[in-house]
Amino acid sequence: MCRSPEFEMLVAHAVTLFPEDTVLSALQVMHRHGAHALPVVDGRDGAWLGEVSQHELHRLSSFAPLARLAEILTAKALASTEEKTAASVPASALLLHTPPPRWLH
């Protein structure tokens, strides 16, 4: 596929974050570029791993300013999985007041 030089320049100057960036460093990048959300990409191949918002990073900055974005994306993925799992619990389990099945790791 042939891409225009303008497209290549946009991609070359895209503002992204990396999994090893901290909450504070991500907030600094967002402030510097006036962004409210940014993608987190793999540093080796540029694969999209997720995105973080300024709002969620501000909440985290008060108690985990040095947390890595990889940890945050992992927590978000786990929370999403738990929501989906809880939504798929049969109504009979709710009627019997049994806890939903948990994933074992």
Side-chain angles (χ1 to χ4, degrees):
M1 175 195 282
C2 183
R3 295 186 173 132
S4 70
E6 293 85 11
F7 178 80
E8 295 296 333
M9 182 174 277
L10 283 174
V11 171
H13 295 292
V15 179
T16 58
L17 299 169
F18 300 100
E20 56 275 356
D21 289 337
T22 64
V23 169
L24 286 180
S25 66
L27 283 170
Q28 289 172 343
V29 170
M30 287 180 169
H31 178 72
R32 187 175 328 124
H33 295 281
H36 296 287
L38 285 174
V40 180
V41 299
D42 187 303
R44 291 170 289 186
D45 62 6
W48 184 84
L49 302 173
E51 89 175 13
V52 291
S53 71
Q54 189 178 35
H55 176 73
E56 68 187 331
L57 294 178
H58 272 295
R59 281 188 300 114
L60 291 167
S61 68
S62 63
F63 62 90
L66 299 179
R68 305 269 180 222
L69 297 184
E71 299 170 68
I72 294 162
L73 292 177
T74 300
K76 286 172 63 171
L78 289 173
S80 174
T81 301
E82 287 179 4
E83 287 174 10
K84 290 177 187 173
T85 302
S88 65
V89 174
S92 60
L94 297 174
L95 292 174
L96 299 173
H97 302 289
T98 57
R102 304 286 285 167
W103 290 102
L104 300 177
H105 299 281

XYZ file of all heavy atoms in Angstrom:
803
model
N 0.851 -1.164 0.000
C 0.000 0.000 0.000
C 0.902 1.234 0.000
O 1.815 1.354 0.794
C -0.894 -0.007 1.244
C -1.707 1.255 1.355
S -2.449 1.526 2.974
C -3.823 0.425 2.913
N 0.621 2.153 -0.858
C 1.396 3.383 -0.965
C 0.736 4.468 -0.120
O -0.456 4.732 -0.257
C 1.471 3.808 -2.427
S 2.482 5.276 -2.668
N 1.503 5.065 0.765
C 0.973 6.115 1.627
C 1.587 7.443 1.243
O 2.751 7.520 0.867
C 1.273 5.803 3.085
C 0.571 4.553 3.558
C 0.792 4.371 5.032
N -0.012 3.265 5.508
C 0.445 2.297 6.270
N 1.698 2.293 6.649
N -0.339 1.337 6.671
N 0.803 8.485 1.412
C 1.280 9.823 1.064
C 2.310 10.296 2.081
O 2.311 9.851 3.235
C 0.109 10.797 1.029
O -0.375 11.022 2.331
N 3.183 11.215 1.700
C 4.154 11.773 2.644
C 3.468 12.473 3.814
O 3.971 12.442 4.931
C 4.952 12.771 1.807
C 4.721 12.388 0.386
C 3.401 11.704 0.343
N 2.283 13.062 3.572
C 1.552 13.725 4.660
C 1.118 12.709 5.705
O 1.207 12.957 6.903
C 0.325 14.476 4.114
C 0.657 15.658 3.231
C 0.902 15.265 1.774
O 0.617 14.111 1.390
O 1.401 16.120 1.028
N 0.637 11.543 5.243
C 0.224 10.492 6.157
C 1.413 10.007 6.981
O 1.315 9.845 8.192
C -0.400 9.320 5.397
C -0.790 8.181 6.291
C -1.970 8.223 7.013
C 0.031 7.068 6.418
C -2.335 7.178 7.847
C -0.318 6.019 7.254
C -1.516 6.076 7.967
N 2.532 9.759 6.319
C 3.729 9.297 7.020
C 4.179 10.309 8.073
O 4.604 9.940 9.152
C 4.864 9.013 6.025
C 4.581 7.869 5.076
C 4.444 6.532 5.784
O 5.029 6.336 6.862
O 3.722 5.681 5.246
N 4.067 11.607 7.773
C 4.461 12.628 8.728
C 3.530 12.629 9.932
O 3.976 12.750 11.078
C 4.473 14.017 8.085
C 4.922 15.117 9.044
S 5.089 16.690 8.245
C 6.722 16.502 7.575
N 2.219 12.462 9.698
C 1.265 12.403 10.804
C 1.572 11.225 11.721
O 1.552 11.356 12.942
C -0.167 12.293 10.284
C -0.797 13.555 9.752
C -2.160 13.240 9.141
C -0.938 14.588 10.847
N 1.833 10.087 11.140
C 2.143 8.896 11.927
C 3.457 9.092 12.679
O 3.574 8.743 13.853
C 2.187 7.634 11.036
C 2.719 6.438 11.799
C 0.806 7.358 10.468
N 4.433 9.682 12.038
C 5.737 9.891 12.668
C 5.638 10.855 13.846
O 6.417 10.761 14.789
C 6.739 10.416 11.653
N 4.671 11.771 13.808
C 4.537 12.760 14.875
C 3.347 12.483 15.796
O 2.929 13.361 16.540
C 4.406 14.162 14.270
C 5.636 14.588 13.536
N 6.828 14.843 14.171
C 5.867 14.760 12.214
C 7.737 15.176 13.275
N 7.187 15.127 12.082
N 2.804 11.272 15.750
C 1.671 10.920 16.604
C 2.119 10.928 18.068
O 3.234 10.525 18.397
C 1.140 9.545 16.228
N 1.241 11.415 18.925
C 1.524 11.433 20.359
C 0.965 10.153 20.955
O -0.234 9.897 20.883
C 0.889 12.670 21.038
C 1.175 12.665 22.525
C 1.392 13.948 20.390
N 1.853 9.343 21.502
C 1.453 8.070 22.089
C 2.150 7.897 23.432
O 3.107 8.596 23.758
C 1.823 6.890 21.184
O 3.235 6.916 20.948
C 1.081 6.944 19.867
N 1.660 6.948 24.181
C 2.270 6.563 25.452
C 2.717 5.113 25.334
O 2.269 4.385 24.449
C 1.250 6.712 26.585
C 0.711 8.117 26.808
C -0.482 8.094 27.758
C 1.797 9.039 27.325
N 3.596 4.711 26.245
C 4.121 3.360 26.236
C 3.807 2.668 27.557
O 3.617 3.337 28.578
C 5.634 3.386 25.996
C 5.989 4.018 24.676
C 6.417 5.332 24.613
C 5.861 3.306 23.492
C 6.722 5.927 23.411
C 6.161 3.892 22.275
C 6.595 5.201 22.227
N 3.760 1.348 27.580
C 3.403 0.616 28.802
C 4.305 0.930 29.996
O 3.853 0.897 31.138
C 3.546 -0.856 28.405
C 3.511 -0.880 26.935
C 4.006 0.452 26.462
N 5.548 1.280 29.731
C 6.467 1.562 30.844
C 6.359 2.996 31.367
O 6.956 3.335 32.385
C 7.916 1.243 30.456
C 8.422 1.946 29.229
C 8.077 1.244 27.919
O 7.504 0.152 27.904
O 8.375 1.845 26.880
N 5.573 3.850 30.704
C 5.355 5.219 31.199
C 4.585 5.173 32.510
O 3.755 4.289 32.731
C 4.566 6.048 30.182
C 5.369 6.392 28.948
O 6.612 6.400 29.022
O 4.746 6.665 27.904
N 4.847 6.146 33.376
C 4.134 6.232 34.656
C 2.917 7.139 34.515
O 2.778 7.871 33.534
C 5.040 6.798 35.765
O 5.387 8.149 35.429
C 6.292 5.959 35.957
N 2.074 7.108 35.527
C 0.892 7.977 35.557
C 1.317 9.433 35.433
O 0.775 10.190 34.624
C 0.082 7.747 36.855
C -0.990 8.805 37.030
C -0.531 6.349 36.851
N 2.321 9.840 36.221
C 2.762 11.241 36.189
C 3.352 11.634 34.840
O 3.058 12.715 34.320
C 3.768 11.518 37.300
C 3.199 11.612 38.705
C 4.307 11.897 39.712
C 2.116 12.667 38.794
N 4.164 10.773 34.267
C 4.757 11.126 32.971
C 3.685 11.188 31.885
O 3.732 12.037 30.996
C 5.877 10.164 32.585
O 5.392 8.863 32.358
N 2.681 10.324 31.966
C 1.585 10.352 30.995
C 0.793 11.649 31.130
O 0.418 12.260 30.126
C 0.672 9.146 31.187
N 0.549 12.079 32.366
C -0.161 13.349 32.576
C 0.644 14.521 32.024
O 0.072 15.458 31.458
C -0.471 13.550 34.051
C -1.641 12.744 34.596
C -1.694 12.832 36.114
C -2.954 13.212 33.974
N 1.957 14.480 32.172
C 2.802 15.542 31.625
C 2.701 15.597 30.099
O 2.602 16.674 29.512
C 4.260 15.341 32.050
C 4.497 15.602 33.515
C 5.900 15.204 33.954
O 6.591 14.452 33.266
N 6.311 15.700 35.110
N 2.718 14.439 29.453
C 2.600 14.382 27.998
C 1.239 14.931 27.566
O 1.146 15.722 26.624
C 2.802 12.933 27.476
C 2.441 12.815 26.008
C 4.238 12.483 27.720
N 0.189 14.536 28.262
C -1.153 15.014 27.924
C -1.246 16.531 28.078
O -1.810 17.208 27.223
C -2.198 14.322 28.793
C -2.436 12.898 28.420
S -3.686 12.174 29.499
C -4.005 10.662 28.636
N -0.688 17.050 29.159
C -0.717 18.494 29.398
C 0.056 19.233 28.300
O -0.412 20.234 27.761
C -0.142 18.809 30.776
C -0.087 20.261 31.077
N -1.204 21.005 31.339
C 0.956 21.114 31.122
C -0.856 22.256 31.541
N 0.459 22.350 31.425
N 1.233 18.723 27.966
C 2.080 19.351 26.960
C 1.396 19.423 25.592
O 1.547 20.384 24.855
C 3.393 18.581 26.845
C 4.434 19.239 25.955
C 5.781 18.511 25.952
N 6.096 17.867 27.207
C 6.390 16.559 27.318
N 6.407 15.779 26.260
N 6.675 16.040 28.494
N 0.610 18.406 25.275
C -0.008 18.337 23.944
C -1.499 18.677 23.957
O -2.156 18.594 22.910
C 0.218 16.956 23.338
C 1.656 16.679 23.061
N 2.311 17.176 21.953
C 2.578 15.980 23.766
C 3.574 16.783 21.992
N 3.766 16.061 23.079
N -2.032 19.018 25.119
C -3.447 19.371 25.194
C -4.379 18.210 24.893
O -5.472 18.406 24.367
N -3.968 17.005 25.248
C -4.767 15.808 24.968
C -5.555 15.390 26.203
O -5.092 15.567 27.329
C -3.859 14.665 24.530
N -6.740 14.843 25.986
C -7.569 14.346 27.084
C -7.542 12.826 27.170
O -7.928 12.259 28.186
C -9.004 14.834 26.928
C -9.117 16.319 27.028
N -8.982 16.999 28.211
C -9.298 17.262 26.077
C -9.105 18.291 27.993
N -9.285 18.482 26.706
N -7.076 12.179 26.120
C -6.907 10.726 26.083
C -5.834 10.419 25.048
O -5.699 11.139 24.054
C -8.206 10.030 25.710
N -5.052 9.385 25.336
C -3.991 8.998 24.403
C -3.896 7.482 24.323
O -4.163 6.768 25.301
C -2.633 9.546 24.857
C -2.395 11.034 24.646
C -1.071 11.449 25.273
C -2.404 11.385 23.166
N -3.476 6.979 23.166
C -3.284 5.535 23.040
C -1.979 5.099 23.715
O -1.021 5.856 23.794
C -3.203 5.324 21.525
C -2.698 6.623 20.993
C -3.248 7.681 21.907
N -2.000 3.870 24.180
C -0.789 3.235 24.710
C -0.398 2.186 23.686
O -1.218 1.344 23.306
C -1.051 2.587 26.082
C 0.218 1.933 26.618
C -1.589 3.615 27.072
N 0.842 2.273 23.198
C 1.300 1.365 22.144
C 2.550 0.625 22.583
O 3.314 1.095 23.426
C 1.577 2.116 20.821
C 0.315 2.785 20.301
C 2.681 3.138 20.980
N 2.752 -0.530 21.986
C 3.946 -1.326 22.234
C 5.136 -0.609 21.607
O 5.065 -0.186 20.452
C 3.765 -2.712 21.609
C 4.883 -3.668 21.967
O 6.054 -3.333 21.681
O 4.596 -4.735 22.514
N 6.210 -0.470 22.360
C 7.385 0.241 21.873
C 8.140 -0.478 20.775
O 8.872 0.141 20.021
N 7.957 -1.778 20.655
C 8.685 -2.538 19.634
C 8.025 -2.479 18.271
O 8.670 -2.215 17.269
C 8.848 -3.997 20.065
C 9.802 -4.159 21.238
C 9.720 -5.543 21.759
N 8.404 -5.603 22.423
C 7.954 -6.602 23.125
N 8.670 -7.665 23.246
N 6.780 -6.567 23.714
N 6.713 -2.739 18.241
C 6.050 -2.809 16.929
C 4.932 -1.791 16.757
O 4.289 -1.757 15.716
C 5.528 -4.224 16.665
C 4.484 -4.667 17.680
O 4.066 -3.857 18.535
O 4.081 -5.841 17.613
N 4.690 -0.960 17.761
C 3.669 0.075 17.645
C 2.245 -0.436 17.753
O 1.304 0.294 17.477
N 2.073 -1.689 18.179
C 0.729 -2.265 18.302
C -0.056 -1.529 19.385
O 0.478 -1.209 20.446
C 0.814 -3.749 18.639
N -1.329 -1.267 19.108
C -2.209 -0.587 20.046
C -2.538 -1.529 21.199
O -2.971 -2.662 20.985
C -3.491 -0.164 19.325
C -4.436 0.622 20.163
C -4.400 1.955 20.391
C -5.571 0.136 20.874
N -5.448 2.332 21.200
C -6.181 1.229 21.517
C -6.129 -1.131 21.039
C -7.319 1.108 22.308
C -7.264 -1.254 21.831
C -7.847 -0.150 22.447
N -2.298 -1.074 22.440
C -2.554 -1.892 23.614
C -3.785 -1.429 24.384
O -4.360 -2.178 25.156
C -1.336 -1.873 24.538
C -0.029 -2.361 23.931
C 1.127 -2.138 24.885
C -0.143 -3.824 23.530
N -4.149 -0.186 24.208
C -5.289 0.370 24.920
C -5.172 1.881 24.927
O -4.344 2.458 24.221
N -6.025 2.512 25.743
C -5.918 3.959 25.866
C -6.226 4.364 27.293
O -6.891 3.627 28.036
C -6.816 4.675 24.861
C -8.189 4.973 25.286
C -8.950 5.798 24.244
O -8.503 5.943 23.100
O -10.021 6.275 24.606
N -5.696 5.503 27.685
C -5.938 6.043 29.020
C -6.439 7.476 28.874
O -6.072 8.181 27.940
C -4.667 6.006 29.901
C -4.289 4.575 30.260
C -3.503 6.696 29.229
N -7.279 7.869 29.815
C -7.814 9.227 29.779
C -7.174 10.070 30.874
O -6.702 9.551 31.892
C -9.331 9.209 29.965
O -9.659 8.875 31.297
N -7.199 11.349 30.654
C -6.671 12.292 31.632
C -7.445 12.161 32.945
O -6.853 12.203 34.022
C -6.777 13.703 31.066
C -6.080 14.754 31.878
C -6.189 16.120 31.214
O -7.207 16.442 30.598
N -5.143 16.901 31.329
N -8.745 11.976 32.843
C -9.588 11.857 34.034
C -9.164 10.677 34.902
O -8.966 10.809 36.112
C -11.060 11.725 33.622
C -11.985 11.505 34.763
N -12.298 12.508 35.654
C -12.643 10.404 35.178
C -13.127 12.025 36.563
N -13.348 10.754 36.303
N -8.995 9.495 34.306
C -8.609 8.331 35.094
C -7.192 8.462 35.650
O -6.916 8.032 36.775
C -8.796 7.032 34.325
C -7.878 6.812 33.163
C -8.255 5.578 32.354
O -8.824 4.616 32.897
O -7.974 5.596 31.143
N -6.299 9.097 34.894
C -4.937 9.279 35.393
C -4.895 10.268 36.551
O -4.117 10.086 37.495
C -4.012 9.730 34.266
C -3.775 8.702 33.158
C -2.875 9.278 32.081
C -3.198 7.409 33.713
N -5.738 11.300 36.511
C -5.801 12.236 37.637
C -6.272 11.527 38.900
O -5.742 11.765 39.990
C -6.729 13.420 37.329
C -6.032 14.548 36.655
N -5.033 15.288 37.243
C -6.189 15.071 35.409
C -4.607 16.203 36.408
N -5.286 16.093 35.273
N -7.259 10.647 38.771
C -7.736 9.886 39.932
C -6.626 9.007 40.502
O -6.444 8.923 41.708
C -8.924 9.002 39.549
C -10.229 9.728 39.458
C -11.422 8.795 39.272
N -11.322 7.999 38.051
C -11.182 6.678 38.018
N -11.131 5.972 39.118
N -11.100 6.035 36.864
N -5.857 8.379 39.626
C -4.792 7.484 40.074
C -3.581 8.222 40.626
O -2.846 7.687 41.456
C -4.350 6.596 38.910
C -5.367 5.567 38.447
C -4.947 4.977 37.115
C -5.519 4.481 39.490
N -3.370 9.448 40.179
C -2.157 10.174 40.562
C -2.080 10.460 42.054
O -0.990 10.609 42.598
C -2.026 11.475 39.770
O -3.036 12.390 40.143
N -3.211 10.497 42.738
C -3.178 10.805 44.176
C -2.655 9.642 45.021
O -2.091 9.855 46.076
C -4.565 11.225 44.661
O -5.478 10.160 44.515
N -2.832 8.394 44.554
C -2.365 7.272 45.367
C -1.396 6.337 44.637
O -0.761 5.509 45.271
C -3.549 6.467 45.923
C -4.416 5.832 44.889
C -4.146 4.559 44.422
C -5.512 6.503 44.386
C -4.945 3.978 43.465
C -6.323 5.921 43.436
C -6.039 4.653 42.976
N -1.247 6.485 43.337
C -0.315 5.624 42.596
C 0.358 6.405 41.468
O 0.270 6.034 40.303
C -1.062 4.417 42.039
N 1.065 7.485 41.804
C 1.652 8.330 40.757
C 2.741 7.645 39.933
O 2.987 8.039 38.796
C 2.212 9.519 41.524
C 2.455 8.998 42.896
C 1.380 7.974 43.132
N 3.368 6.628 40.483
C 4.447 5.958 39.769
C 4.024 4.620 39.168
O 4.864 3.865 38.677
C 5.655 5.772 40.685
C 6.262 7.077 41.218
C 7.446 6.786 42.129
C 6.667 8.001 40.082
N 2.721 4.357 39.183
C 2.221 3.126 38.559
C 2.471 3.192 37.058
O 2.350 4.246 36.431
C 0.733 2.967 38.841
N 2.844 2.076 36.494
C 3.102 1.996 35.054
C 1.779 1.816 34.310
O 0.846 1.208 34.823
C 4.026 0.824 34.739
C 5.331 0.864 35.508
C 6.370 1.589 34.720
N 7.621 1.607 35.470
C 8.381 2.667 35.540
N 8.048 3.769 34.928
N 9.496 2.643 36.219
N 1.727 2.324 33.101
C 0.510 2.212 32.306
C 0.176 0.754 32.008
O -0.998 0.398 31.869
C 0.627 3.022 31.024
C 0.782 4.534 31.223
C 0.791 5.248 29.885
C -0.294 5.097 32.128
N 1.182 -0.104 31.941
C 0.932 -1.534 31.735
C 0.058 -2.084 32.861
O -0.866 -2.869 32.618
C 2.247 -2.299 31.666
N 0.321 -1.653 34.096
C -0.473 -2.095 35.240
C -1.914 -1.588 35.137
O -2.860 -2.305 35.459
C 0.140 -1.594 36.542
C 1.548 -2.090 36.812
C 2.177 -1.369 37.982
O 1.708 -1.578 39.116
O 3.110 -0.588 37.760
N -2.064 -0.366 34.681
C -3.383 0.236 34.570
C -4.200 -0.467 33.492
O -5.371 -0.784 33.697
C -3.261 1.744 34.301
C -2.633 2.410 35.527
C -4.604 2.369 33.960
C -2.066 3.763 35.276
N -3.574 -0.726 32.347
C -4.280 -1.423 31.273
C -4.669 -2.838 31.701
O -5.756 -3.316 31.361
C -3.430 -1.460 30.006
C -3.196 -0.118 29.322
C -2.279 -0.298 28.117
C -4.496 0.536 28.911
N -3.804 -3.492 32.450
C -4.116 -4.833 32.948
C -5.311 -4.786 33.895
O -6.229 -5.599 33.794
C -2.893 -5.447 33.660
O -1.814 -5.532 32.730
C -3.209 -6.826 34.216
N -5.319 -3.812 34.815
C -6.433 -3.672 35.752
C -7.734 -3.375 35.015
O -8.792 -3.912 35.359
C -6.126 -2.575 36.765
N -7.667 -2.531 33.985
C -8.865 -2.214 33.203
C -9.381 -3.457 32.484
O -10.587 -3.694 32.434
C -8.571 -1.099 32.194
C -8.438 0.269 32.831
C -7.965 1.332 31.865
C -8.906 1.591 30.720
N -8.520 2.769 29.913
N -8.481 -4.250 31.952
C -8.882 -5.470 31.242
C -9.523 -6.467 32.208
O -10.533 -7.092 31.887
C -7.684 -6.097 30.540
N -8.947 -6.603 33.394
C -9.513 -7.514 34.392
C -10.887 -7.046 34.843
O -11.804 -7.849 35.000
C -8.574 -7.645 35.589
C -7.283 -8.412 35.341
C -6.372 -8.326 36.561
C -7.579 -9.855 34.988
N -11.049 -5.745 35.056
C -12.345 -5.203 35.465
C -13.387 -5.447 34.387
O -14.526 -5.803 34.678
C -12.223 -3.720 35.772
N -12.998 -5.274 33.141
C -13.916 -5.504 32.029
C -14.326 -6.971 31.961
O -15.492 -7.294 31.745
C -13.262 -5.077 30.719
O -14.074 -5.408 29.636
N -13.377 -7.865 32.169
C -13.661 -9.297 32.147
C -14.599 -9.678 33.281
O -15.524 -10.454 33.093
C -12.350 -10.107 32.254
O -11.511 -9.746 31.162
C -12.613 -11.594 32.230
N -14.383 -9.107 34.474
C -15.249 -9.405 35.612
C -16.666 -8.911 35.375
O -17.625 -9.567 35.744
C -14.671 -8.807 36.896
C -13.457 -9.558 37.387
C -12.867 -8.962 38.651
O -13.446 -7.997 39.202
O -11.835 -9.473 39.097
N -16.805 -7.736 34.733
C -18.138 -7.229 34.421
C -18.858 -8.171 33.466
O -20.034 -8.464 33.643
C -18.044 -5.837 33.799
C -17.681 -4.747 34.785
C -17.442 -3.404 34.109
O -17.739 -3.270 32.893
O -16.968 -2.494 34.791
N -18.146 -8.652 32.456
C -18.749 -9.572 31.487
C -19.111 -10.888 32.157
O -20.152 -11.468 31.889
C -17.799 -9.815 30.325
C -17.635 -8.617 29.425
C -16.635 -8.891 28.339
C -16.361 -7.629 27.543
N -15.281 -7.798 26.599
N -18.250 -11.375 33.049
C -18.504 -12.628 33.748
C -19.719 -12.483 34.650
O -20.582 -13.351 34.688
C -17.272 -13.054 34.569
O -16.158 -13.176 33.689
C -17.514 -14.373 35.268
N -19.810 -11.380 35.381
C -20.939 -11.165 36.281
C -22.238 -11.054 35.499
O -23.285 -11.522 35.943
C -20.715 -9.901 37.111
N -22.191 -10.469 34.312
C -23.389 -10.318 33.492
C -23.860 -11.660 32.935
O -25.035 -11.822 32.611
C -23.127 -9.346 32.349
N -22.966 -12.639 32.842
C -23.335 -13.929 32.262
C -23.736 -14.960 33.312
O -23.975 -16.108 32.988
C -22.174 -14.482 31.425
O -21.068 -14.758 32.259
N -23.834 -14.554 34.578
C -24.244 -15.480 35.636
C -25.729 -15.789 35.461
O -26.537 -14.878 35.284
C -23.989 -14.858 37.032
C -24.550 -15.742 38.116
C -22.509 -14.632 37.227
N -26.105 -17.045 35.506
C -27.515 -17.384 35.331
C -28.384 -16.825 36.446
O -27.946 -16.684 37.584
C -27.531 -18.919 35.346
C -26.154 -19.364 35.628
C -25.247 -18.185 35.669
N -29.624 -16.508 36.115
C -30.555 -15.942 37.096
C -30.760 -16.900 38.265
O -30.955 -16.468 39.398
C -31.885 -15.626 36.423
N -30.715 -18.214 38.023
C -30.891 -19.186 39.106
C -29.807 -19.038 40.164
O -30.062 -19.222 41.350
C -30.895 -20.607 38.561
O -29.666 -20.873 37.900
N -28.601 -18.679 39.759
C -27.518 -18.475 40.728
C -27.806 -17.267 41.595
O -27.500 -17.256 42.785
C -26.186 -18.304 40.009
N -28.404 -16.239 41.016
C -28.748 -15.058 41.790
C -29.869 -15.356 42.771
O -29.880 -14.854 43.889
C -29.154 -13.914 40.851
C -28.067 -13.409 39.906
C -28.652 -12.379 38.947
C -26.923 -12.819 40.687
N -30.825 -16.188 42.353
C -31.940 -16.526 43.227
C -31.485 -17.351 44.418
O -32.038 -17.242 45.503
C -33.011 -17.288 42.443
C -33.743 -16.471 41.377
C -34.661 -17.362 40.570
C -34.522 -15.344 42.028
N -30.492 -18.170 44.223
C -29.983 -19.019 45.298
C -28.930 -18.317 46.145
O -28.402 -18.894 47.074
C -29.399 -20.313 44.719
C -30.384 -21.198 43.956
C -29.646 -22.352 43.299
C -31.455 -21.716 44.900
N -28.633 -17.086 45.813
C -27.628 -16.286 46.516
C -26.259 -16.939 46.526
O -25.503 -16.819 47.484
C -28.067 -15.982 47.957
C -29.366 -15.276 48.019
N -29.510 -13.970 47.631
C -30.599 -15.694 48.412
C -30.769 -13.605 47.772
N -31.457 -14.634 48.241
N -25.958 -17.649 45.466
C -24.626 -18.234 45.359
C -23.733 -17.244 44.630
O -24.179 -16.542 43.724
C -24.662 -19.561 44.576
O -25.218 -19.319 43.303
C -25.464 -20.607 45.314
N -22.493 -17.176 45.030
C -21.590 -16.251 44.355
C -21.331 -16.688 42.925
O -21.399 -17.886 42.623
C -20.305 -16.302 45.200
C -20.366 -17.610 45.906
C -21.824 -17.911 46.085
N -21.059 -15.748 42.036
C -20.760 -16.115 40.659
C -19.459 -16.894 40.584
O -18.597 -16.772 41.465
C -20.630 -14.770 39.949
C -20.342 -13.789 41.012
C -20.975 -14.315 42.264
N -19.308 -17.726 39.567
C -18.048 -18.473 39.424
C -16.879 -17.515 39.239
O -17.015 -16.484 38.602
C -18.273 -19.331 38.190
C -19.401 -18.690 37.457
C -20.213 -17.951 38.461
N -15.732 -17.852 39.806
C -14.528 -17.026 39.695
C -13.529 -17.736 38.813
O -13.428 -18.960 38.815
C -13.900 -16.799 41.082
C -14.818 -16.188 42.104
C -15.090 -14.745 41.894
N -13.933 -13.994 42.301
C -13.760 -12.729 42.024
N -14.644 -12.075 41.350
N -12.698 -12.088 42.413
N -12.779 -16.950 38.065
C -11.712 -17.497 37.233
C -10.532 -17.836 38.115
O -10.165 -17.061 38.979
C -11.283 -16.489 36.173
C -12.321 -16.282 35.126
C -13.173 -15.243 35.035
C -12.627 -17.131 34.029
N -14.000 -15.380 33.951
C -13.667 -16.527 33.308
C -12.108 -18.337 33.570
C -14.207 -17.094 32.174
C -12.644 -18.897 32.431
C -13.691 -18.284 31.762
N -9.957 -18.958 37.905
C -8.748 -19.341 38.644
C -7.560 -19.142 37.729
O -7.574 -19.526 36.575
C -8.821 -20.802 39.088
C -9.996 -21.129 40.017
C -9.998 -22.615 40.308
C -9.902 -20.335 41.306
N -6.519 -18.558 38.265
C -5.325 -18.286 37.460
C -4.202 -19.196 37.872
O -3.974 -19.521 38.943
C -4.878 -16.837 37.608
C -5.928 -15.886 37.146
N -6.133 -15.614 35.824
C -6.837 -15.161 37.821
C -7.112 -14.744 35.706
N -7.555 -14.457 36.896
